[in-house]
Amino acid sequence: GRVGAPAIGSVLGPRITAAGRLKHANLSYALLTAPDTLTARPLAEELAALNRERQNLTLAKVALAQQQIAADRDGREDQSDRYLYLVAHPDFESGIVGLVAGRLVEDLYRPVLVAKTGDEETHGSARSILEFNITAALDECRELLVRHGGHAAAAGFAVKNENLATLRARLEAI
């Protein structure tokens, strides 16, 4: 049949990007350049399986982030919501931290940064709300960051582990 924008956005797009998030983008390239259906079908099936894995991982990591947010709330005297959330854990997957942050923004309507903690650096992704330019906020924290970039609604960043708590506090203050 015909492939339109809805099919690309909700069916093909997530499958094509799943390869780069969990494995390697060459798999998607191989599918898109496949010369025939015989070659394309097993590639499409592998991408569909990777997409299901990506969906399950995203749900599991959203739950992990929600646990961290709930534990943080329990430890605070005022019990109010924060203006911004930054959650970091070694079990977050680098390829899906942006998806996790996006889901949390939908649930909390607060800017959210989700990051994978490494041995020396933490690498993450941020998603924001209309009222808060996340990249401008990260610009204000540039001396704490190894690198960062993005736009008003989404950004990526890397920070030395020893600067993570300071980054969180600075972003909350901003």
Side-chain angles (χ1 to χ4, degrees), residues 61-131:
K61 301 314 175 187
V62 166
L64 176 60
Q66 288 170 331
Q67 289 170 356
Q68 281 191 354
I69 290 169
D72 179 54
R73 283 182 180 156
D74 290 344
R76 294 176 52 223
E77 290 179 22
D78 65 3
Q79 295 294 308
S80 64
D81 283 338
R82 292 189 178 279
Y83 292 114
L84 173 143
Y85 293 97
L86 191 160
V87 292
H89 197 280
D91 290 342
F92 286 134
E93 306 284 336
S94 296
I96 62 167
V97 290
L99 299 174
V100 173
R103 290 275 178 95
L104 293 170
V105 168
E106 289 174 11
D107 292 345
L108 303 168
Y109 203 75
R110 295 285 187 273
V112 177
L113 294 86
V114 178
K116 178 177 179 57
T117 307
D119 293 337
E120 295 179 20
E121 291 184 358
T122 296
H123 296 252
S125 189
R127 297 295 181 270
S128 197
I129 57 177
L130 289 173
E131 298 84 355

Side-chain angles (χ1 to χ4, degrees), residues 7-19 21 47 51 54-55:
I8 291 170
S10 63
V11 178
L12 294 175
R15 285 161 178 78
I16 289 169
T17 61
R21 292 181 188 283
L47 284 176
N51 189 51
R54 190 248 337 135
Q55 289 170 329

Side-chain angles (χ1 to χ4, degrees), residues 37-47:
T37 305
L38 188 62
T39 306
R41 186 171 308 282
L43 295 169
E45 290 170 359
E46 187 174 355
L47 284 176

